[in-house]
Amino acid sequence: SNEAFGKYSSSTGGVGNNATGLKSFVSGGQSNQAFGEYSSNIGGANNDAIGRYSSVSGGHKNIASGYLSSITGGQSNEAFGKYSSSTGGVGNNATGLKSFVSGGQSNQAFGEYSSNIGGANNDAIGRYSSVSGGHKNIASGYLSSITGGQSNEAFGK
Protein backbone atom coordinates (compact mmCIF):
# COMPACT_ATOMS: atom_id res chain seq x y z
CA SER A 1 0.00 0.00 0.00
CA ASN A 2 1.00 3.62 -0.54
CA GLU A 3 1.04 6.27 2.19
CA ALA A 4 0.98 10.06 2.28
CA PHE A 5 2.10 11.32 5.69
CA GLY A 6 3.18 14.84 4.82
CA LYS A 7 0.76 17.73 5.05
CA TYR A 8 -0.83 18.28 1.60
CA SER A 9 1.18 15.33 0.19
CA SER A 10 -0.12 12.59 -2.12
CA SER A 11 0.84 9.11 -3.24
CA THR A 12 -0.84 7.56 -6.28
CA GLY A 13 -0.34 4.22 -7.98
CA GLY A 14 2.46 1.76 -7.48
CA VAL A 15 3.27 -0.26 -4.36
CA GLY A 16 4.89 0.67 -1.06
CA ASN A 17 5.47 4.34 -1.89
CA ASN A 18 5.59 7.07 0.78
CA ALA A 19 5.13 10.83 0.51
CA THR A 20 6.27 12.19 3.88
CA GLY A 21 7.46 15.70 3.08
CA LEU A 22 5.26 18.79 3.13
CA LYS A 23 3.44 18.99 -0.24
CA SER A 24 5.46 16.00 -1.53
CA PHE A 25 4.28 13.67 -4.29
CA VAL A 26 4.93 10.05 -5.28
CA SER A 27 3.37 8.41 -8.32
CA GLY A 28 3.83 4.84 -9.51
CA GLY A 29 6.74 2.50 -9.13
CA GLN A 30 7.71 0.57 -6.04
CA SER A 31 9.18 1.53 -2.66
CA ASN A 32 9.80 5.16 -3.67
CA GLN A 33 10.04 7.94 -1.08
CA ALA A 34 9.49 11.70 -1.21
CA PHE A 35 10.93 13.02 2.06
CA GLY A 36 11.78 16.61 1.20
CA GLU A 37 9.35 19.53 1.23
CA TYR A 38 7.81 19.92 -2.25
CA SER A 39 9.76 16.85 -3.44
CA SER A 40 8.52 14.41 -6.08
CA ASN A 41 9.28 10.84 -7.05
CA ILE A 42 7.78 9.35 -10.19
CA GLY A 43 8.14 5.70 -11.19
CA GLY A 44 11.08 3.37 -10.84
CA ALA A 45 11.96 1.50 -7.65
CA ASN A 46 13.71 2.26 -4.37
CA ASN A 47 14.31 5.92 -5.23
CA ASP A 48 14.53 8.71 -2.63
CA ALA A 49 13.79 12.41 -3.14
CA ILE A 50 15.20 13.86 0.08
CA GLY A 51 16.16 17.46 -0.64
CA ARG A 52 13.73 20.36 -0.61
CA TYR A 53 12.21 20.71 -4.12
CA SER A 54 14.16 17.60 -5.24
CA SER A 55 12.86 15.13 -7.81
CA VAL A 56 13.56 11.61 -9.04
CA SER A 57 12.02 10.36 -12.27
CA GLY A 58 12.40 6.63 -12.76
CA GLY A 59 15.39 4.40 -12.40
CA HIS A 60 16.48 2.29 -9.45
CA LYS A 61 18.11 3.15 -6.10
CA ASN A 62 18.67 6.83 -6.96
CA ILE A 63 18.97 9.56 -4.31
CA ALA A 64 18.31 13.27 -4.87
CA SER A 65 19.27 14.94 -1.59
CA GLY A 66 20.44 18.41 -2.63
CA TYR A 67 18.20 21.47 -2.63
CA LEU A 68 16.47 21.61 -6.06
CA SER A 69 18.43 18.53 -7.17
CA SER A 70 17.13 16.05 -9.74
CA ILE A 71 17.77 12.58 -11.09
CA THR A 72 16.33 11.18 -14.28
CA GLY A 73 16.66 7.41 -14.63
CA GLY A 74 19.70 5.27 -14.22
CA GLN A 75 20.74 3.22 -11.21
CA SER A 76 22.44 4.08 -7.92
CA ASN A 77 22.99 7.71 -8.94
CA GLU A 78 23.18 10.53 -6.41
CA ALA A 79 22.60 14.28 -6.68
CA PHE A 80 23.91 15.84 -3.46
CA GLY A 81 24.86 19.32 -4.56
CA LYS A 82 22.51 22.29 -4.45
CA TYR A 83 20.88 22.56 -7.93
CA SER A 84 22.75 19.42 -9.08
CA SER A 85 21.45 16.81 -11.51
CA SER A 86 22.22 13.31 -12.75
CA THR A 87 20.76 11.76 -15.88
CA GLY A 88 21.07 8.05 -16.55
CA GLY A 89 24.11 5.87 -16.04
CA VAL A 90 25.14 3.80 -13.03
CA GLY A 91 26.78 4.87 -9.80
CA ASN A 92 27.31 8.53 -10.77
CA ASN A 93 27.51 11.40 -8.24
CA ALA A 94 26.80 15.09 -8.72
CA THR A 95 28.04 16.65 -5.49
CA GLY A 96 29.16 20.14 -6.47
CA LEU A 97 26.98 23.24 -6.56
CA LYS A 98 25.11 23.25 -9.91
CA SER A 99 27.04 20.14 -11.02
CA PHE A 100 25.85 17.72 -13.70
CA VAL A 101 26.54 14.06 -14.56
CA SER A 102 25.04 12.30 -17.55
CA GLY A 103 25.42 8.64 -18.41
CA GLY A 104 28.42 6.43 -18.00
CA GLN A 105 29.47 4.64 -14.85
CA SER A 106 31.10 5.74 -11.59
CA ASN A 107 31.59 9.34 -12.76
CA GLN A 108 31.84 12.22 -10.30
CA ALA A 109 31.18 15.96 -10.61
CA PHE A 110 32.65 17.45 -7.43
CA GLY A 111 33.44 21.02 -8.46
CA GLU A 112 31.03 23.92 -8.55
CA TYR A 113 29.44 24.16 -12.02
CA SER A 114 31.33 21.00 -13.07
CA SER A 115 30.08 18.42 -15.58
CA ASN A 116 30.89 14.84 -16.38
CA ILE A 117 29.36 13.20 -19.44
CA GLY A 118 29.72 9.52 -20.26
CA GLY A 119 32.70 7.25 -19.89
CA ALA A 120 33.71 5.55 -16.64
CA ASN A 121 35.57 6.46 -13.45
CA ASN A 122 36.04 10.10 -14.46
CA ASP A 123 36.28 13.00 -11.98
CA ALA A 124 35.45 16.67 -12.62
CA ILE A 125 36.88 18.27 -9.50
CA GLY A 126 37.76 21.87 -10.38
CA ARG A 127 35.34 24.77 -10.50
CA TYR A 128 33.79 24.93 -14.03
CA SER A 129 35.67 21.73 -14.96
CA SER A 130 34.39 19.11 -17.40
CA VAL A 131 35.12 15.58 -18.52
CA SER A 132 33.49 14.22 -21.67
CA GLY A 133 33.88 10.48 -21.97
CA GLY A 134 36.91 8.30 -21.63
CA HIS A 135 38.17 6.34 -18.64
CA LYS A 136 39.89 7.38 -15.40
CA ASN A 137 40.29 11.03 -16.38
CA ILE A 138 40.62 13.84 -13.82
CA ALA A 139 39.88 17.52 -14.49
CA SER A 140 40.97 19.18 -11.25
CA GLY A 141 41.91 22.71 -12.29
CA TYR A 142 39.73 25.80 -12.56
CA LEU A 143 38.09 25.81 -16.03
CA SER A 144 39.89 22.55 -16.92
CA SER A 145 38.52 20.15 -19.50
CA ILE A 146 39.21 16.66 -20.83
CA THR A 147 37.59 15.19 -23.91
CA GLY A 148 37.93 11.40 -23.94
CA GLY A 149 40.99 9.25 -23.65
CA GLN A 150 42.32 7.35 -20.66
CA SER A 151 44.14 8.37 -17.48
CA ASN A 152 44.44 12.03 -18.51
CA GLU A 153 44.75 14.89 -16.00
CA ALA A 154 43.99 18.57 -16.51
CA PHE A 155 45.24 20.77 -13.68
CA GLY A 156 44.55 24.23 -15.16
CA LYS A 157 44.95 27.24 -12.89
Side-chain angles (χ1 to χ4, degrees):
S1 68
N2 297 316
E3 297 176 333
F5 296 112
K7 191 173 184 179
Y8 309 115
S9 64
S10 65
S11 182
T12 61
V15 176
N17 297 315
N18 293 307
T20 58
L22 173 70
K23 297 182 181 179
S24 61
F25 175 71
V26 179
S27 180
Q30 180 176 354
S31 301
N32 293 314
Q33 314 289 325
F35 296 113
E37 292 181 6
Y38 309 98
S39 63
S40 64
N41 202 325
I42 301 170
N46 302 103
N47 295 312
D48 295 330
I50 299 170
R52 191 171 192 203
Y53 300 105
S54 65
S55 67
V56 178
S57 300
H60 183 244
K61 292 186 179 178
N62 294 311
I63 300 171
S65 61
Y67 176 82
L68 274 167
S69 62
S70 67
I71 295 182
T72 305
Q75 179 176 332
S76 301
N77 295 312
E78 299 174 348
F80 293 121
K82 194 174 185 180
Y83 312 110
S84 64
S85 64
S86 178
T87 305
V90 177
N92 296 315
N93 293 309
T95 58
L97 172 70
K98 298 183 181 179
S99 61
F100 175 70
V101 179
S102 181
Q105 182 173 351
S106 301
N107 293 313
Q108 318 290 325
F110 295 113
E112 292 181 7
Y113 310 98
S114 63
S115 65
N116 201 324
I117 300 170
N121 302 105
N122 295 311
D123 295 330
I125 299 169
R127 191 170 193 208
Y128 301 104
S129 64
S130 67
V131 178
S132 300
H135 183 247
K136 291 187 179 179
N137 294 309
I138 300 172
S140 61
Y142 176 77
L143 290 169
S144 60
S145 179
I146 296 175
T147 304
Q150 182 172 336
S151 301
N152 296 304
E153 295 183 23
F155 299 108
K157 289 184 178 182

PDB file of all heavy atoms in Angstrom, residues 96-121:
ATOM      1  N   GLY A  96      28.857  18.714  -6.470  1.00  0.00           N
ATOM      2  CA  GLY A  96      29.163  20.137  -6.471  1.00  0.00           C
ATOM      3  C   GLY A  96      27.942  21.004  -6.712  1.00  0.00           C
ATOM      4  O   GLY A  96      26.949  20.548  -7.283  1.00  0.00           O
ATOM      5  N   LEU A  97      28.036  22.269  -6.298  1.00  0.00           N
ATOM      6  CA  LEU A  97      26.979  23.237  -6.555  1.00  0.00           C
ATOM      7  C   LEU A  97      26.742  23.341  -8.064  1.00  0.00           C
ATOM      8  O   LEU A  97      27.681  23.510  -8.834  1.00  0.00           O
ATOM      9  CB  LEU A  97      27.388  24.609  -6.000  1.00  0.00           C
ATOM     10  CG  LEU A  97      26.488  25.788  -6.329  1.00  0.00           C
ATOM     11  CD1 LEU A  97      25.170  25.669  -5.578  1.00  0.00           C
ATOM     12  CD2 LEU A  97      27.174  27.092  -5.980  1.00  0.00           C
ATOM     13  N   LYS A  98      25.493  23.170  -8.493  1.00  0.00           N
ATOM     14  CA  LYS A  98      25.110  23.246  -9.907  1.00  0.00           C
ATOM     15  C   LYS A  98      25.922  22.296 -10.795  1.00  0.00           C
ATOM     16  O   LYS A  98      26.214  22.583 -11.941  1.00  0.00           O
ATOM     17  CB  LYS A  98      25.204  24.679 -10.422  1.00  0.00           C
ATOM     18  CG  LYS A  98      24.258  25.619  -9.701  1.00  0.00           C
ATOM     19  CD  LYS A  98      24.285  27.018 -10.254  1.00  0.00           C
ATOM     20  CE  LYS A  98      23.340  27.911  -9.470  1.00  0.00           C
ATOM     21  NZ  LYS A  98      23.341  29.289  -9.944  1.00  0.00           N
ATOM     22  N   SER A  99      26.289  21.138 -10.258  1.00  0.00           N
ATOM     23  CA  SER A  99      27.042  20.140 -11.024  1.00  0.00           C
ATOM     24  C   SER A  99      26.097  19.233 -11.805  1.00  0.00           C
ATOM     25  O   SER A  99      24.906  19.133 -11.499  1.00  0.00           O
ATOM     26  CB  SER A  99      27.927  19.311 -10.088  1.00  0.00           C
ATOM     27  OG  SER A  99      27.126  18.620  -9.140  1.00  0.00           O
ATOM     28  N   PHE A 100      26.658  18.535 -12.805  1.00  0.00           N
ATOM     29  CA  PHE A 100      25.854  17.716 -13.703  1.00  0.00           C
ATOM     30  C   PHE A 100      26.631  16.480 -14.127  1.00  0.00           C
ATOM     31  O   PHE A 100      27.803  16.565 -14.503  1.00  0.00           O
ATOM     32  CB  PHE A 100      25.486  18.541 -14.942  1.00  0.00           C
ATOM     33  CG  PHE A 100      24.756  17.773 -16.003  1.00  0.00           C
ATOM     34  CD1 PHE A 100      23.458  17.354 -15.804  1.00  0.00           C
ATOM     35  CD2 PHE A 100      25.368  17.483 -17.209  1.00  0.00           C
ATOM     36  CE1 PHE A 100      22.772  16.650 -16.789  1.00  0.00           C
ATOM     37  CE2 PHE A 100      24.700  16.775 -18.200  1.00  0.00           C
ATOM     38  CZ  PHE A 100      23.399  16.360 -17.989  1.00  0.00           C
ATOM     39  N   VAL A 101      25.971  15.312 -14.061  1.00  0.00           N
ATOM     40  CA  VAL A 101      26.542  14.064 -14.558  1.00  0.00           C
ATOM     41  C   VAL A 101      25.503  13.417 -15.462  1.00  0.00           C
ATOM     42  O   VAL A 101      24.325  13.358 -15.118  1.00  0.00           O
ATOM     43  CB  VAL A 101      26.906  13.090 -13.415  1.00  0.00           C
ATOM     44  CG1 VAL A 101      27.466  11.799 -13.977  1.00  0.00           C
ATOM     45  CG2 VAL A 101      27.892  13.708 -12.452  1.00  0.00           C
ATOM     46  N   SER A 102      25.952  12.942 -16.628  1.00  0.00           N
ATOM     47  CA  SER A 102      25.037  12.295 -17.554  1.00  0.00           C
ATOM     48  C   SER A 102      25.651  11.018 -18.105  1.00  0.00           C
ATOM     49  O   SER A 102      26.707  11.049 -18.728  1.00  0.00           O
ATOM     50  CB  SER A 102      24.693  13.245 -18.707  1.00  0.00           C
ATOM     51  OG  SER A 102      23.794  12.619 -19.595  1.00  0.00           O
ATOM     52  N   GLY A 103      24.997   9.916 -17.854  1.00  0.00           N
ATOM     53  CA  GLY A 103      25.419   8.639 -18.411  1.00  0.00           C
ATOM     54  C   GLY A 103      26.730   8.124 -17.870  1.00  0.00           C
ATOM     55  O   GLY A 103      27.321   8.688 -16.953  1.00  0.00           O
ATOM     56  N   GLY A 104      27.169   7.029 -18.426  1.00  0.00           N
ATOM     57  CA  GLY A 104      28.421   6.427 -18.003  1.00  0.00           C
ATOM     58  C   GLY A 104      28.289   5.688 -16.692  1.00  0.00           C
ATOM     59  O   GLY A 104      27.190   5.395 -16.213  1.00  0.00           O
ATOM     60  N   GLN A 105      29.456   5.400 -16.094  1.00  0.00           N
ATOM     61  CA  GLN A 105      29.467   4.643 -14.853  1.00  0.00           C
ATOM     62  C   GLN A 105      30.541   5.163 -13.907  1.00  0.00           C
ATOM     63  O   GLN A 105      31.678   5.432 -14.319  1.00  0.00           O
ATOM     64  CB  GLN A 105      29.723   3.163 -15.146  1.00  0.00           C
ATOM     65  CG  GLN A 105      29.710   2.291 -13.911  1.00  0.00           C
ATOM     66  CD  GLN A 105      29.799   0.815 -14.255  1.00  0.00           C
ATOM     67  OE1 GLN A 105      29.713   0.418 -15.413  1.00  0.00           O
ATOM     68  NE2 GLN A 105      29.961  -0.001 -13.243  1.00  0.00           N
ATOM     69  N   SER A 106      30.169   5.311 -12.654  1.00  0.00           N
ATOM     70  CA  SER A 106      31.095   5.742 -11.590  1.00  0.00           C
ATOM     71  C   SER A 106      31.789   7.057 -11.909  1.00  0.00           C
ATOM     72  O   SER A 106      32.982   7.219 -11.651  1.00  0.00           O
ATOM     73  CB  SER A 106      32.126   4.641 -11.297  1.00  0.00           C
ATOM     74  OG  SER A 106      31.483   3.461 -10.890  1.00  0.00           O
ATOM     75  N   ASN A 107      31.057   8.007 -12.470  1.00  0.00           N
ATOM     76  CA  ASN A 107      31.586   9.339 -12.761  1.00  0.00           C
ATOM     77  C   ASN A 107      31.188  10.299 -11.647  1.00  0.00           C
ATOM     78  O   ASN A 107      30.127  10.162 -11.056  1.00  0.00           O
ATOM     79  CB  ASN A 107      31.053   9.848 -14.103  1.00  0.00           C
ATOM     80  CG  ASN A 107      31.591   9.048 -15.258  1.00  0.00           C
ATOM     81  OD1 ASN A 107      32.778   8.780 -15.332  1.00  0.00           O
ATOM     82  ND2 ASN A 107      30.720   8.645 -16.165  1.00  0.00           N
ATOM     83  N   GLN A 108      32.066  11.277 -11.381  1.00  0.00           N
ATOM     84  CA  GLN A 108      31.836  12.225 -10.302  1.00  0.00           C
ATOM     85  C   GLN A 108      31.950  13.653 -10.824  1.00  0.00           C
ATOM     86  O   GLN A 108      32.844  13.947 -11.611  1.00  0.00           O
ATOM     87  CB  GLN A 108      32.889  12.051  -9.194  1.00  0.00           C
ATOM     88  CG  GLN A 108      33.242  10.627  -8.831  1.00  0.00           C
ATOM     89  CD  GLN A 108      32.132   9.903  -8.109  1.00  0.00           C
ATOM     90  OE1 GLN A 108      31.421  10.513  -7.331  1.00  0.00           O
ATOM     91  NE2 GLN A 108      31.974   8.633  -8.372  1.00  0.00           N
ATOM     92  N   ALA A 109      31.073  14.521 -10.336  1.00  0.00           N
ATOM     93  CA  ALA A 109      31.179  15.960 -10.606  1.00  0.00           C
ATOM     94  C   ALA A 109      31.227  16.645  -9.243  1.00  0.00           C
ATOM     95  O   ALA A 109      30.199  16.911  -8.631  1.00  0.00           O
ATOM     96  CB  ALA A 109      29.997  16.454 -11.428  1.00  0.00           C
ATOM     97  N   PHE A 110      32.443  16.888  -8.757  1.00  0.00           N
ATOM     98  CA  PHE A 110      32.648  17.453  -7.426  1.00  0.00           C
ATOM     99  C   PHE A 110      32.665  18.978  -7.424  1.00  0.00           C
ATOM    100  O   PHE A 110      32.210  19.615  -6.494  1.00  0.00           O
ATOM    101  CB  PHE A 110      33.981  16.982  -6.827  1.00  0.00           C
ATOM    102  CG  PHE A 110      34.062  15.513  -6.563  1.00  0.00           C
ATOM    103  CD1 PHE A 110      34.936  14.711  -7.283  1.00  0.00           C
ATOM    104  CD2 PHE A 110      33.280  14.929  -5.579  1.00  0.00           C
ATOM    105  CE1 PHE A 110      35.038  13.359  -7.025  1.00  0.00           C
ATOM    106  CE2 PHE A 110      33.367  13.563  -5.326  1.00  0.00           C
ATOM    107  CZ  PHE A 110      34.245  12.779  -6.046  1.00  0.00           C
ATOM    108  N   GLY A 111      33.249  19.567  -8.440  1.00  0.00           N
ATOM    109  CA  GLY A 111      33.438  21.016  -8.464  1.00  0.00           C
ATOM    110  C   GLY A 111      32.159  21.794  -8.712  1.00  0.00           C
ATOM    111  O   GLY A 111      31.210  21.283  -9.313  1.00  0.00           O
ATOM    112  N   GLU A 112      32.157  23.052  -8.262  1.00  0.00           N
ATOM    113  CA  GLU A 112      31.030  23.918  -8.553  1.00  0.00           C
ATOM    114  C   GLU A 112      30.921  24.113 -10.064  1.00  0.00           C
ATOM    115  O   GLU A 112      31.931  24.313 -10.735  1.00  0.00           O
ATOM    116  CB  GLU A 112      31.220  25.280  -7.885  1.00  0.00           C
ATOM    117  CG  GLU A 112      31.143  25.242  -6.381  1.00  0.00           C
ATOM    118  CD  GLU A 112      31.309  26.625  -5.765  1.00  0.00           C
ATOM    119  OE1 GLU A 112      31.361  27.625  -6.507  1.00  0.00           O
ATOM    120  OE2 GLU A 112      31.383  26.694  -4.534  1.00  0.00           O
ATOM    121  N   TYR A 113      29.722  24.000 -10.590  1.00  0.00           N
ATOM    122  CA  TYR A 113      29.438  24.162 -12.022  1.00  0.00           C
ATOM    123  C   TYR A 113      30.178  23.135 -12.891  1.00  0.00           C
ATOM    124  O   TYR A 113      30.375  23.351 -14.080  1.00  0.00           O
ATOM    125  CB  TYR A 113      29.786  25.579 -12.503  1.00  0.00           C
ATOM    126  CG  TYR A 113      29.208  26.671 -11.652  1.00  0.00           C
ATOM    127  CD1 TYR A 113      29.974  27.296 -10.680  1.00  0.00           C
ATOM    128  CD2 TYR A 113      27.888  27.067 -11.822  1.00  0.00           C
ATOM    129  CE1 TYR A 113      29.434  28.296  -9.887  1.00  0.00           C
ATOM    130  CE2 TYR A 113      27.346  28.076 -11.028  1.00  0.00           C
ATOM    131  CZ  TYR A 113      28.123  28.683 -10.062  1.00  0.00           C
ATOM    132  OH  TYR A 113      27.592  29.670  -9.274  1.00  0.00           O
ATOM    133  N   SER A 114      30.595  22.020 -12.319  1.00  0.00           N
ATOM    134  CA  SER A 114      31.326  21.001 -13.075  1.00  0.00           C
ATOM    135  C   SER A 114      30.365  20.068 -13.803  1.00  0.00           C
ATOM    136  O   SER A 114      29.197  19.950 -13.444  1.00  0.00           O
ATOM    137  CB  SER A 114      32.231  20.189 -12.143  1.00  0.00           C
ATOM    138  OG  SER A 114      31.456  19.487 -11.184  1.00  0.00           O
ATOM    139  N   SER A 115      30.889  19.391 -14.844  1.00  0.00           N
ATOM    140  CA  SER A 115      30.076  18.424 -15.580  1.00  0.00           C
ATOM    141  C   SER A 115      30.913  17.208 -15.952  1.00  0.00           C
ATOM    142  O   SER A 115      32.123  17.296 -16.152  1.00  0.00           O
ATOM    143  CB  SER A 115      29.485  19.060 -16.840  1.00  0.00           C
ATOM    144  OG  SER A 115      30.503  19.414 -17.745  1.00  0.00           O
ATOM    145  N   ASN A 116      30.240  16.084 -16.042  1.00  0.00           N
ATOM    146  CA  ASN A 116      30.890  14.835 -16.378  1.00  0.00           C
ATOM    147  C   ASN A 116      29.909  14.056 -17.242  1.00  0.00           C
ATOM    148  O   ASN A 116      28.820  13.703 -16.787  1.00  0.00           O
ATOM    149  CB  ASN A 116      31.222  14.072 -15.095  1.00  0.00           C
ATOM    150  CG  ASN A 116      32.315  13.063 -15.297  1.00  0.00           C
ATOM    151  OD1 ASN A 116      32.401  12.449 -16.352  1.00  0.00           O
ATOM    152  ND2 ASN A 116      33.133  12.879 -14.282  1.00  0.00           N
ATOM    153  N   ILE A 117      30.288  13.814 -18.494  1.00  0.00           N
ATOM    154  CA  ILE A 117      29.357  13.203 -19.442  1.00  0.00           C
ATOM    155  C   ILE A 117      29.944  11.919 -20.017  1.00  0.00           C
ATOM    156  O   ILE A 117      30.955  11.950 -20.707  1.00  0.00           O
ATOM    157  CB  ILE A 117      29.014  14.192 -20.570  1.00  0.00           C
ATOM    158  CG1 ILE A 117      28.376  15.449 -19.964  1.00  0.00           C
ATOM    159  CG2 ILE A 117      28.096  13.553 -21.598  1.00  0.00           C
ATOM    160  CD1 ILE A 117      28.216  16.583 -20.919  1.00  0.00           C
ATOM    161  N   GLY A 118      29.332  10.803 -19.708  1.00  0.00           N
ATOM    162  CA  GLY A 118      29.724   9.518 -20.261  1.00  0.00           C
ATOM    163  C   GLY A 118      31.053   8.998 -19.765  1.00  0.00           C
ATOM    164  O   GLY A 118      31.693   9.581 -18.888  1.00  0.00           O
ATOM    165  N   GLY A 119      31.448   7.863 -20.294  1.00  0.00           N
ATOM    166  CA  GLY A 119      32.699   7.247 -19.889  1.00  0.00           C
ATOM    167  C   GLY A 119      32.569   6.537 -18.554  1.00  0.00           C
ATOM    168  O   GLY A 119      31.466   6.265 -18.080  1.00  0.00           O
ATOM    169  N   ALA A 120      33.718   6.260 -17.928  1.00  0.00           N
ATOM    170  CA  ALA A 120      33.713   5.551 -16.643  1.00  0.00           C
ATOM    171  C   ALA A 120      34.856   6.010 -15.753  1.00  0.00           C
ATOM    172  O   ALA A 120      35.957   6.286 -16.237  1.00  0.00           O
ATOM    173  CB  ALA A 120      33.818   4.045 -16.882  1.00  0.00           C
ATOM    174  N   ASN A 121      34.563   6.111 -14.471  1.00  0.00           N
ATOM    175  CA  ASN A 121      35.571   6.455 -13.453  1.00  0.00           C
ATOM    176  C   ASN A 121      36.261   7.789 -13.727  1.00  0.00           C
ATOM    177  O   ASN A 121      37.464   7.931 -13.510  1.00  0.00           O
ATOM    178  CB  ASN A 121      36.604   5.336 -13.314  1.00  0.00           C
ATOM    179  CG  ASN A 121      35.962   4.016 -12.958  1.00  0.00           C
ATOM    180  OD1 ASN A 121      35.841   3.135 -13.813  1.00  0.00           O
ATOM    181  ND2 ASN A 121      35.523   3.872 -11.735  1.00  0.00           N
TER     182      ASN A 121
END
